[in-house]
CSV table of all heavy atoms in Angstrom, one decimal:
chain,number,residue,atom,x,y,z
A,426,ILE,N,-93.9,-62.9,-25.3
A,426,ILE,CA,-93.3,-64.1,-24.6
A,426,ILE,C,-93.1,-65.2,-25.6
A,426,ILE,O,-94.2,-65.7,-26.0
A,426,ILE,CB,-94.2,-64.5,-23.4
A,426,ILE,CG1,-94.5,-63.4,-22.4
A,426,ILE,CG2,-93.5,-65.7,-22.6
A,426,ILE,CD1,-95.5,-63.8,-21.4
A,427,THR,N,-91.9,-65.6,-25.9
A,427,THR,CA,-91.7,-66.6,-26.9
A,427,THR,C,-91.0,-67.8,-26.3
A,427,THR,O,-90.1,-67.6,-25.4
A,427,THR,CB,-91.0,-66.2,-28.2
A,427,THR,OG1,-89.7,-65.7,-27.8
A,427,THR,CG2,-91.8,-65.1,-28.9
A,428,LEU,N,-91.3,-69.0,-26.7
A,428,LEU,CA,-90.6,-70.2,-26.2
A,428,LEU,C,-90.2,-70.9,-27.5
A,428,LEU,O,-91.0,-71.4,-28.3
A,428,LEU,CB,-91.6,-71.1,-25.4
A,428,LEU,CG,-91.0,-72.4,-24.8
A,428,LEU,CD1,-89.8,-72.1,-23.9
A,428,LEU,CD2,-92.0,-73.1,-24.0
A,429,ASP,N,-88.9,-71.0,-27.7
A,429,ASP,CA,-88.3,-71.6,-28.9
A,429,ASP,C,-88.9,-70.9,-30.1
A,429,ASP,O,-89.2,-71.6,-31.1
A,429,ASP,CB,-88.5,-73.1,-28.9
A,429,ASP,CG,-87.6,-73.8,-27.9
A,429,ASP,OD1,-86.7,-73.2,-27.3
A,429,ASP,OD2,-87.9,-75.0,-27.6
A,430,GLY,N,-89.1,-69.6,-30.0
A,430,GLY,CA,-89.6,-68.9,-31.2
A,430,GLY,C,-91.1,-68.8,-31.3
A,430,GLY,O,-91.7,-68.1,-32.1
A,431,GLU,N,-91.9,-69.6,-30.5
A,431,GLU,CA,-93.3,-69.7,-30.6
A,431,GLU,C,-93.9,-68.6,-29.6
A,431,GLU,O,-93.6,-68.7,-28.4
A,431,GLU,CB,-93.8,-71.1,-30.2
A,431,GLU,CG,-95.3,-71.3,-30.3
A,431,GLU,CD,-95.8,-71.3,-31.8
A,431,GLU,OE1,-95.0,-71.6,-32.7
A,431,GLU,OE2,-97.0,-71.0,-32.0
A,432,GLU,N,-94.8,-67.7,-30.1
A,432,GLU,CA,-95.4,-66.7,-29.3
A,432,GLU,C,-96.4,-67.3,-28.4
A,432,GLU,O,-97.3,-68.1,-28.8
A,432,GLU,CB,-96.0,-65.6,-30.2
A,432,GLU,CG,-96.7,-64.5,-29.4
A,432,GLU,CD,-95.7,-63.7,-28.6
A,432,GLU,OE1,-94.7,-63.1,-29.2
A,432,GLU,OE2,-95.9,-63.7,-27.3
A,433,LEU,N,-96.3,-67.0,-27.1
A,433,LEU,CA,-97.3,-67.5,-26.1
A,433,LEU,C,-98.4,-66.6,-25.7
A,433,LEU,O,-99.5,-67.0,-25.3
A,433,LEU,CB,-96.5,-68.0,-24.8
A,433,LEU,CG,-95.4,-69.0,-24.9
A,433,LEU,CD1,-94.9,-69.4,-23.5
A,433,LEU,CD2,-95.9,-70.3,-25.6
A,434,VAL,N,-98.1,-65.2,-25.9
A,434,VAL,CA,-99.1,-64.2,-25.5
A,434,VAL,C,-100.3,-64.4,-26.4
A,434,VAL,O,-100.2,-64.5,-27.7
A,434,VAL,CB,-98.6,-62.8,-25.6
A,434,VAL,CG1,-99.7,-61.8,-25.4
A,434,VAL,CG2,-97.5,-62.6,-24.6
A,435,GLY,N,-101.5,-64.5,-25.8
A,435,GLY,CA,-102.7,-64.8,-26.6
A,435,GLY,C,-103.2,-66.2,-26.6
A,435,GLY,O,-104.3,-66.5,-27.0
A,436,LYS,N,-102.3,-67.1,-26.3
A,436,LYS,CA,-102.7,-68.5,-26.2
A,436,LYS,C,-103.4,-68.8,-24.9
A,436,LYS,O,-103.3,-68.1,-23.9
A,436,LYS,CB,-101.5,-69.4,-26.3
A,436,LYS,CG,-100.8,-69.6,-27.6
A,436,LYS,CD,-99.7,-70.6,-27.6
A,436,LYS,CE,-99.0,-70.8,-29.0
A,436,LYS,NZ,-99.9,-71.5,-29.9
A,437,SER,N,-104.2,-69.8,-24.9
A,437,SER,CA,-104.9,-70.3,-23.7
A,437,SER,C,-103.9,-71.0,-22.8
A,437,SER,O,-102.8,-71.4,-23.2
A,437,SER,CB,-106.0,-71.2,-24.0
A,437,SER,OG,-105.5,-72.4,-24.6
A,438,VAL,N,-104.3,-71.2,-21.5
A,438,VAL,CA,-103.5,-71.9,-20.6
A,438,VAL,C,-103.2,-73.3,-21.1
A,438,VAL,O,-102.1,-73.9,-21.1
A,438,VAL,CB,-104.1,-72.0,-19.2
A,438,VAL,CG1,-103.3,-72.9,-18.3
A,438,VAL,CG2,-104.3,-70.6,-18.6
A,439,ARG,N,-104.3,-74.0,-21.6
A,439,ARG,CA,-104.2,-75.3,-22.2
A,439,ARG,C,-103.2,-75.3,-23.4
A,439,ARG,O,-102.3,-76.2,-23.5
A,439,ARG,CB,-105.5,-75.8,-22.7
A,439,ARG,CG,-105.6,-77.1,-23.5
A,439,ARG,CD,-105.5,-78.3,-22.6
A,439,ARG,NE,-104.2,-78.7,-22.3
A,439,ARG,CZ,-103.8,-79.4,-21.3
A,439,ARG,NH1,-104.7,-79.8,-20.4
A,439,ARG,NH2,-102.5,-79.8,-21.1
A,440,GLY,N,-103.2,-74.3,-24.2
A,440,GLY,CA,-102.3,-74.2,-25.3
A,440,GLY,C,-100.9,-74.0,-24.9
A,440,GLY,O,-100.0,-74.6,-25.5
A,441,ILE,N,-100.7,-73.2,-23.9
A,441,ILE,CA,-99.3,-73.0,-23.4
A,441,ILE,C,-98.7,-74.3,-22.7
A,441,ILE,O,-97.6,-74.6,-23.0
A,441,ILE,CB,-99.3,-71.8,-22.4
A,441,ILE,CG1,-99.6,-70.5,-23.1
A,441,ILE,CG2,-98.0,-71.7,-21.6
A,441,ILE,CD1,-99.8,-69.3,-22.3
A,442,LEU,N,-99.5,-75.0,-22.0
A,442,LEU,CA,-99.1,-76.2,-21.4
A,442,LEU,C,-98.7,-77.2,-22.5
A,442,LEU,O,-97.7,-78.0,-22.4
A,442,LEU,CB,-100.1,-76.8,-20.5
A,442,LEU,CG,-100.5,-76.0,-19.2
A,442,LEU,CD1,-101.6,-76.7,-18.4
A,442,LEU,CD2,-99.2,-75.8,-18.3
A,443,ASP,N,-99.5,-77.2,-23.5
A,443,ASP,CA,-99.3,-78.1,-24.7
A,443,ASP,C,-98.0,-77.8,-25.4
A,443,ASP,O,-97.5,-78.6,-26.2
A,443,ASP,CB,-100.5,-78.2,-25.6
A,443,ASP,CG,-101.7,-78.9,-25.0
A,443,ASP,OD1,-101.5,-79.6,-24.0
A,443,ASP,OD2,-102.8,-78.7,-25.6
A,444,GLU,N,-97.5,-76.5,-25.3
A,444,GLU,CA,-96.3,-76.1,-25.9
A,444,GLU,C,-95.1,-76.7,-25.1
A,444,GLU,O,-93.9,-76.5,-25.6
A,444,GLU,CB,-96.2,-74.6,-26.0
A,444,GLU,CG,-97.0,-74.0,-27.0
A,444,GLU,CD,-96.6,-74.3,-28.4
A,444,GLU,OE1,-95.4,-74.6,-28.6
A,444,GLU,OE2,-97.5,-74.2,-29.3
A,445,GLY,N,-95.3,-77.3,-24.0
A,445,GLY,CA,-94.2,-77.9,-23.2
A,445,GLY,C,-93.8,-77.1,-22.0
A,445,GLY,O,-92.7,-77.3,-21.5
A,446,VAL,N,-94.8,-76.3,-21.5
A,446,VAL,CA,-94.5,-75.6,-20.3
A,446,VAL,C,-94.9,-76.3,-19.0
A,446,VAL,O,-96.1,-76.7,-18.9
A,446,VAL,CB,-95.2,-74.2,-20.3
A,446,VAL,CG1,-94.9,-73.4,-19.0
A,446,VAL,CG2,-94.6,-73.4,-21.5
A,447,GLY,N,-94.0,-76.6,-18.1
A,447,GLY,CA,-94.4,-77.2,-16.8
A,447,GLY,C,-94.5,-76.1,-15.8
A,447,GLY,O,-93.6,-75.2,-15.7
A,448,PHE,N,-95.6,-76.1,-15.1
A,448,PHE,CA,-95.9,-74.9,-14.2
A,448,PHE,C,-96.1,-75.5,-12.8
A,448,PHE,O,-97.1,-76.2,-12.5
A,448,PHE,CB,-97.1,-74.2,-14.7
A,448,PHE,CG,-97.5,-73.0,-13.8
A,448,PHE,CD1,-96.6,-72.1,-13.4
A,448,PHE,CD2,-98.8,-72.8,-13.4
A,448,PHE,CE1,-96.9,-71.0,-12.6
A,448,PHE,CE2,-99.2,-71.8,-12.6
A,448,PHE,CZ,-98.3,-70.8,-12.2
A,449,VAL,N,-95.3,-75.0,-11.8
A,449,VAL,CA,-95.6,-75.3,-10.4
A,449,VAL,C,-96.1,-74.0,-9.8
A,449,VAL,O,-95.3,-73.0,-9.6
A,449,VAL,CB,-94.2,-75.7,-9.7
A,449,VAL,CG1,-94.5,-76.0,-8.2
A,449,VAL,CG2,-93.7,-76.9,-10.4
A,450,PRO,N,-97.4,-73.9,-9.4
A,450,PRO,CA,-97.9,-72.6,-8.9
A,450,PRO,C,-97.5,-72.4,-7.5
A,450,PRO,O,-97.1,-73.3,-6.8
A,450,PRO,CB,-99.4,-72.9,-9.0
A,450,PRO,CG,-99.6,-74.3,-9.0
A,450,PRO,CD,-98.4,-74.9,-9.6
A,451,GLU,N,-97.6,-71.1,-7.1
A,451,GLU,CA,-97.1,-70.8,-5.7
A,451,GLU,C,-98.1,-71.3,-4.6
A,451,GLU,O,-97.6,-71.5,-3.5
A,451,GLU,CB,-96.9,-69.3,-5.6
A,451,GLU,CG,-98.1,-68.4,-5.7
A,451,GLU,CD,-97.8,-66.9,-5.5
A,451,GLU,OE1,-97.0,-66.4,-6.3
A,451,GLU,OE2,-98.4,-66.3,-4.6
A,452,ASP,N,-99.3,-71.5,-5.0
A,452,ASP,CA,-100.3,-72.0,-4.0
A,452,ASP,C,-100.8,-73.4,-4.5
A,452,ASP,O,-101.7,-73.5,-5.3
A,452,ASP,CB,-101.5,-71.1,-3.8
A,452,ASP,CG,-102.4,-71.4,-2.7
A,452,ASP,OD1,-102.4,-72.6,-2.3
A,452,ASP,OD2,-103.1,-70.6,-2.1
A,453,ARG,N,-100.2,-74.4,-4.0
A,453,ARG,CA,-100.5,-75.8,-4.5
A,453,ARG,C,-101.9,-76.2,-4.2
A,453,ARG,O,-102.6,-76.8,-5.0
A,453,ARG,CB,-99.5,-76.8,-3.9
A,453,ARG,CG,-99.5,-76.9,-2.4
A,453,ARG,CD,-98.6,-78.0,-1.9
A,453,ARG,NE,-98.4,-77.8,-0.4
A,453,ARG,CZ,-97.5,-77.1,0.1
A,453,ARG,NH1,-96.6,-76.4,-0.6
A,453,ARG,NH2,-97.4,-77.0,1.4
A,454,GLN,N,-102.4,-75.8,-3.0
A,454,GLN,CA,-103.8,-76.2,-2.6
A,454,GLN,C,-104.8,-75.4,-3.5
A,454,GLN,O,-105.9,-76.0,-3.8
A,454,GLN,CB,-104.0,-76.0,-1.1
A,454,GLN,CG,-103.1,-76.9,-0.3
A,454,GLN,CD,-103.4,-76.7,1.2
A,454,GLN,OE1,-103.7,-75.6,1.6
A,454,GLN,NE2,-103.2,-77.8,2.0
A,455,GLU,N,-104.6,-74.2,-3.8
A,455,GLU,CA,-105.5,-73.4,-4.6
A,455,GLU,C,-105.4,-73.7,-6.1
A,455,GLU,O,-106.4,-73.8,-6.8
A,455,GLU,CB,-105.3,-71.9,-4.3
A,455,GLU,CG,-106.3,-71.0,-5.0
A,455,GLU,CD,-107.7,-71.0,-4.4
A,455,GLU,OE1,-107.8,-71.4,-3.2
A,455,GLU,OE2,-108.6,-70.7,-5.1
Side-chain angles (χ1 to χ4, degrees):
I426 304 170
T427 60
L428 181 59
D429 291 344
E431 183 72 24
E432 182 62 60
L433 301 184
V434 173
K436 285 183 178 288
S437 66
V438 176
R439 174 78 271 161
I441 291 172
L442 295 178
D443 288 345
E444 286 292 335
V446 176
F448 179 50
V449 179
E451 65 180 57
D452 188 336
R453 60 179 168 271
Q454 293 182 330
E455 184 71 22

